[in-house]
Amino acid sequence: MVALAPSNRLRRTWWSDAVEACGVTGYTVYNKTLLPVVFDSISEDCRHLKSAVQLWDVACERQIQIEGPDADALMQRLTPRDLSRVKPQKCAYVPICDVNGGMLNDPVALQPRPGVWWISLADSDLAYWVEGVAMGGGYAVSVSEPDVQILGLQGPLANDLAAEVFGEETRDIPFFGFKWLPFGSGEVLVARSGYSKQGGFEIYVTDQALAMPLWDHLMDKGQPFDIRAGCPNAIERIEGGMLSYGNDMTRQDTPFEAGLGRYVQRFDCLGGAALRAHQARRQIVPIQLDSAPPTCDREWSLMSGNQRVGRVRSAAWSDEFQCGVAIGMVDMSCAAGDRLVCVTQAGEIAAEIKERFWR
Amino acid sequence: MVALAPSNRLRRTWWSDAVEACGVTGYTVYNKTLLPVVFDSISEDCRHLKSAVQLWDVACERQIQIEGPDADALMQRLTPRDLSRVKPQKCAYVPICDVNGGMLNDPVALQPRPGVWWISLADSDLAYWVEGVAMGGGYAVSVSEPDVQILGLQGPLANDLAAEVFGEETRDIPFFGFKWLPFGSGEVLVARSGYSKQGGFEIYVTDQALAMPLWDHLMDKGQPFDIRAGCPNAIERIEGGMLSYGNDMTRQDTPFEAGLGRYVQRFDCLGGAALRAHQARRQIVPIQLDSAPPTCDREWSLMSGNQRVGRVRSAAWSDEFQCGVAIGMVDMSCAAGDRLVCVTQAGEIAAEIKERFWR
């Protein structure tokens, strides 16, 4: 594998030194920020994630902050999700679309304080879009990118560790709920969310002075829970059908095509007219591969006989399920049970569309 | 160094396989695309670049295409550069600013055909901004990102090789001029530009079918010129004072502060009012370091006694000039000849502000 050459253009985080001291072996770049993606190996990292608790540096999930008299109106203009149904102290997954309904980002939005929105980003410079829209529409808002950095605490033992560190009340935080909780001399926002199906929290840190004390404290208190530095895991997230923007869906795809139709609740937003008239051309499906795939670093075609019926852009070998697991985007005519061939750079692999993801 | 983990989110280019066959050892990620940055070592790569000719995969310089009745008006709205002064078949370096005059990108713009603009991007999703502005302002334009990929041909022997491959007329292309020239069954846009001070061309390829034939042909015809696969070189570009967006200047800086004041020629653009009223708070300067710096992967402070007077975000050791070379952003009160201290992660290095860059 080729090294990632360091550069100031690629932001280090408050925890990059700690992550490197813990032996990170693979980075990706996400929102121009270093994101660890491998420590031991993705299969060993996966096994551990499913059995214990991991501390993740996901500071690459940058925040856009919107505040001002028109903040609510602008937020609703940006997404087809009906934000009036989102309760206080809850996060909301909000597809953001261009005028054609193409996905520009699939962030999580929340109101850390009344009147203030944070958009917690997937990998694109959505701030440019938000500001362009705000400016063009004359919205009375201020848009900024505060330096909020997020620690993930993921795994089946995350609940017990969070209860020990932040108090028993963390057990009562519902899925996608959040609370501000004291830590050290300040407070952090603790949300029950994260990019795994193992359960856990994302901890939004707004003060760098708390960042390493929090890391060290969680590592210390986590020893009995076999805590390790970890990261979003390619195997586990595919098994769980968790999509990756830029991999599984891009701007060429609509929320309907990305399997996110349930979040299209209003059409008075940007892209709303296109979404209302939309006929999905394709669909996200789980793909089982009969043998271990090579590294999925380029798009693979899914063939039905001589016909290309779709693509795969995320794939891995699952030790737990003893098959290749992949996320496919296939024609609407395809259905669960269809046998296909996946054409990789290392040859063809027999594939099947599954009814549901593995977790 | 940590590996860059492959992912479809990080685009491979038409030449990634060839680049890897030539032994690339370091990548960066630029516009979500792989950009080679090291082959042998940056010092050996630098020596060769200054003596021969290199073929660069700079497909990461993605293009935004603007066309339609209001294309010219939108382009002029986006930049303080006076585009009416840009002649046909010429490229133009065009700072793009937000409403505060902060730099969003420092691309090169050109009209590949009458009525069509390409914005050849530095590292940010500027399309989101352009579309937001176009939509808000009601401009009759179509904005897209065509899959145009660029090969760089850089080095003192680039002229001779280009003349052999594309014809003697390439010698007459002026600096930042371009011509469409035939290659194979199609044509390519050959511009006298590039991210080095060694001279050479950027070849815009619009048809993937031409991409590898062009690479192979240039490599073949380049043998007598000692051609190698190469890439933008950190040492050479700092010696030459070539800025890197995201490193040397960011959205926090204005064109004036980035030393690009000569491109601020009109104020009827976005950010124009702010630029008109602007008082520069800092300036880009060459910084000489008395000893070899460590890897510049984080911002370093420049100190004058106990006072922080600036920052360094790009630095390297120059074999040619036998000193450390760096790009600094310092307070307006600083001047050439000032002796400073540069605080790196590996200790302090004595530094001096130079009158001019090394090349």
Side-chain angles (χ1 to χ4, degrees):
Chain A
M1 267 209 272
V2 180
L4 175 62
S7 159
N8 267 292
R9 205 170 32 74
L10 310 180
R11 291 181 275 215
R12 295 176 66 80
T13 80
W14 293 338
W15 302 289
S16 293
D17 287 343
V19 158
E20 289 169 13
C22 289
V24 64
T25 58
Y27 272 132
T28 189
V29 175
Y30 198 97
N31 283 327
K32 302 185 189 76
T33 305
L34 300 181
L35 170 61
V37 290
V38 196
F39 283 82
D40 285 343
S41 68
I42 62 164
S43 63
E44 168 54 20
D45 291 354
C46 183
R47 186 204 61 74
H48 177 265
L49 171 61
K50 293 172 179 174
S51 66
V53 57
Q54 293 184 347
L55 193 50
W56 295 3
D57 170 4
V58 285
C60 66
E61 297 170 9
R62 301 289 298 180
Q63 309 304 305
I64 300 175
Q65 179 167 302
I66 305 178
E67 50 188 334
D70 292 338
D72 287 356
L74 175 60
M75 274 301 300
Q76 190 61 78
R77 181 76 178 139
L78 291 170
T79 181
R81 176 105 191 233
D82 185 351
L83 296 175
S84 69
R85 297 192 219 165
V86 178
K87 298 192 179 126
Q89 302 212 297
K90 285 280 273 185
C91 307
Y93 184 65
V94 290
I96 309 279
C97 299
D98 66 21
V99 290
N100 302 311
M103 303 244 331
L104 296 175
N105 204 287
D106 68 327
V108 166
L110 65 160
Q111 289 186 277
R113 301 184 296 276
V116 176
W117 284 94
W118 284 350
I119 305 178
S120 189
L121 294 181
D123 183 29
S124 73
D125 294 339
L126 193 72
Y128 284 22
W129 177 256
V130 173
E131 292 179 62
V133 170
M135 196 167 53
Y139 290 88
V141 293
S142 156
V143 180
S144 58
E145 185 182 323
D147 201 3
V148 176
Q149 301 198 10
I150 299 180
L151 267 187
L153 194 66
Q154 297 286 309
L157 306 185
N159 261 325
D160 294 336
L161 177 55
E164 188 162 327
V165 168
F166 298 110
E168 288 294 319
E169 61 186 307
T170 53
R171 296 190 191 273
D172 302 328
I173 299 176
F175 183 67
F176 260 42
F178 68 83
K179 273 188 184 166
W180 283 100
L181 294 170
F183 177 77
S185 59
E187 56 178 8
V188 293
L189 187 155
V190 179
R192 189 179 291 277
S193 59
Y195 198 59
S196 88
K197 286 280 178 89
Q198 302 307 313
F201 300 90
E202 290 182 302
I203 307 165
Y204 293 62
V205 182
T206 58
D207 177 358
Q208 185 173 2
L210 300 181
M212 277 309 302
L214 179 58
W215 174 282
D216 289 338
H217 190 65
L218 287 164
M219 279 293 192
D220 181 44
K221 294 293 180 188
Q223 287 310 316
F225 303 102
D226 186 26
I227 195 169
R228 289 187 195 168
C231 49
N233 183 272
I235 304 166
E236 199 273 348
R237 74 109 180 148
I238 297 171
E239 289 171 349
M242 305 194 78
L243 306 185
S244 165
Y245 182 73
N247 281 317
D248 307 308
M249 76 285 204
T250 71
R251 191 167 173 181
Q252 308 313 312
D253 309 305
T254 65
F256 295 111
E257 292 166 339
L260 307 174
R262 64 190 176 282
Y263 300 110
V264 180
Q265 300 164 345
R266 308 172 52 141
F267 297 105
D268 56 347
C269 61
L270 288 168
L275 291 172
R276 189 197 296 273
H278 183 61
Q279 294 287 329
R281 299 152 294 189
R282 46 190 174 260
Q283 54 185 322
I284 286 274
V285 291
I287 300 282
Q288 180 171 308
L289 302 172
D290 288 2
S291 59
T295 301
C296 190
D297 62 357
R298 61 201 77 189
E299 184 169 304
W300 299 335
S301 289
L302 286 168
M303 307 296 293
S304 175
N306 289 327
Q307 197 181 352
R308 185 181 193 273
V309 295
R311 69 182 195 231
V312 161
R313 289 170 58 92
S314 297
W317 175 258
S318 166
D319 286 331
E320 181 177 351
F321 298 102
Q322 286 293 304
C323 64
V325 292
I327 297 177
M329 181 72 92
V330 299
D331 294 349
M332 294 306 290
S333 59
C334 297
D338 284 4
R339 295 289 301 176
L340 305 172
V341 170
C342 184
V343 183
T344 79
Q345 68 270 29
E348 298 184 349
I349 302 178
E352 182 172 322
I353 301 179
K354 303 301 288 180
E355 186 71 43
R356 59 184 62 83
F357 284 96
W358 290 262
R359 180 166 292 113
Chain B
M1 268 209 272
V2 179
L4 176 62
S7 158
N8 268 293
R9 205 170 33 73
L10 310 182
R11 293 180 275 216
R12 294 176 67 81
T13 79
W14 292 338
W15 301 290
S16 294
D17 287 343
V19 157
E20 289 169 12
C22 290
V24 64
T25 58
Y27 272 132
T28 189
V29 175
Y30 197 97
N31 282 327
K32 302 185 191 76
T33 307
L34 300 182
L35 169 62
V37 290
V38 196
F39 283 82
D40 285 344
S41 68
I42 61 165
S43 63
E44 168 54 20
D45 292 353
C46 183
R47 186 202 62 72
H48 177 265
L49 171 61
K50 292 171 179 174
S51 65
V53 58
Q54 293 184 348
L55 193 51
W56 295 4
D57 170 4
V58 285
C60 67
E61 297 170 9
R62 301 289 298 180
Q63 308 303 305
I64 301 174
Q65 179 167 303
I66 305 178
E67 50 188 336
D70 293 338
D72 288 355
L74 176 60
M75 274 302 298
Q76 190 60 79
R77 181 77 180 138
L78 291 170
T79 180
R81 176 107 190 231
D82 185 351
L83 296 175
S84 69
R85 297 192 218 165
V86 178
K87 298 189 180 128
Q89 301 212 297
K90 285 280 274 185
C91 306
Y93 184 66
V94 290
I96 308 279
C97 299
D98 66 20
V99 291
N100 302 312
M103 303 241 336
L104 296 175
N105 203 286
D106 68 328
V108 166
L110 66 160
Q111 289 185 278
R113 301 184 296 278
V116 177
W117 285 93
W118 283 350
I119 304 177
S120 188
L121 293 183
D123 182 29
S124 73
D125 294 340
L126 193 72
Y128 284 21
W129 177 256
V130 173
E131 291 179 61
V133 170
M135 196 168 52
Y139 290 87
V141 292
S142 156
V143 180
S144 59
E145 185 182 324
D147 201 4
V148 176
Q149 300 198 11
I150 300 181
L151 268 187
L153 193 66
Q154 298 285 310
L157 306 184
N159 261 325
D160 294 336
L161 177 55
E164 188 162 327
V165 169
F166 297 109
E168 287 295 320
E169 63 186 305
T170 52
R171 296 190 192 274
D172 301 328
I173 298 176
F175 183 67
F176 260 41
F178 69 83
K179 274 188 184 169
W180 284 100
L181 294 170
F183 177 77
S185 60
E187 57 178 7
V188 293
L189 188 155
V190 179
R192 189 180 291 278
S193 59
Y195 197 58
S196 87
K197 286 281 177 89
Q198 303 306 313
F201 299 90
E202 290 182 301
I203 307 165
Y204 293 62
V205 182
T206 58
D207 178 359
Q208 185 173 2
L210 300 181
M212 277 310 301
L214 178 58
W215 175 281
D216 289 338
H217 190 66
L218 287 165
M219 278 293 191
D220 182 42
K221 295 293 181 187
Q223 288 308 317
F225 303 101
D226 186 26
I227 195 169
R228 289 188 195 168
C231 51
N233 182 273
I235 304 167
E236 199 272 347
R237 73 107 181 151
I238 297 171
E239 290 170 349
M242 306 194 78
L243 306 185
S244 165
Y245 182 72
N247 280 316
D248 307 308
M249 76 284 204
T250 71
R251 191 167 174 183
Q252 309 313 312
D253 308 304
T254 66
F256 295 112
E257 292 165 340
L260 307 172
R262 64 191 175 282
Y263 301 110
V264 180
Q265 299 165 344
R266 309 172 50 142
F267 297 106
D268 56 347
C269 62
L270 287 168
L275 290 172
R276 190 197 295 273
H278 184 60
Q279 295 288 328
R281 298 152 293 187
R282 46 189 176 258
Q283 54 184 322
I284 286 275
V285 291
I287 299 281
Q288 180 170 308
L289 302 172
D290 290 1
S291 59
T295 301
C296 191
D297 63 356
R298 61 201 78 189
E299 184 169 303
W300 298 338
S301 290
L302 286 168
M303 306 295 293
S304 176
N306 288 327
Q307 198 181 350
R308 184 180 193 274
V309 295
R311 69 183 194 229
V312 161
R313 289 169 59 92
S314 296
W317 175 257
S318 167
D319 286 331
E320 180 177 352
F321 297 102
Q322 285 293 303
C323 64
V325 293
I327 297 177
M329 180 72 91
V330 300
D331 293 350
M332 294 306 291
S333 59
C334 296
D338 284 4
R339 296 288 301 176
L340 304 172
V341 169
C342 183
V343 184
T344 79
Q345 68 269 30
E348 299 184 349
I349 301 178
E352 183 172 322
I353 301 179
K354 302 302 290 181
E355 186 72 43
R356 58 184 62 83
F357 284 97
W358 289 262
R359 177 167 293 112

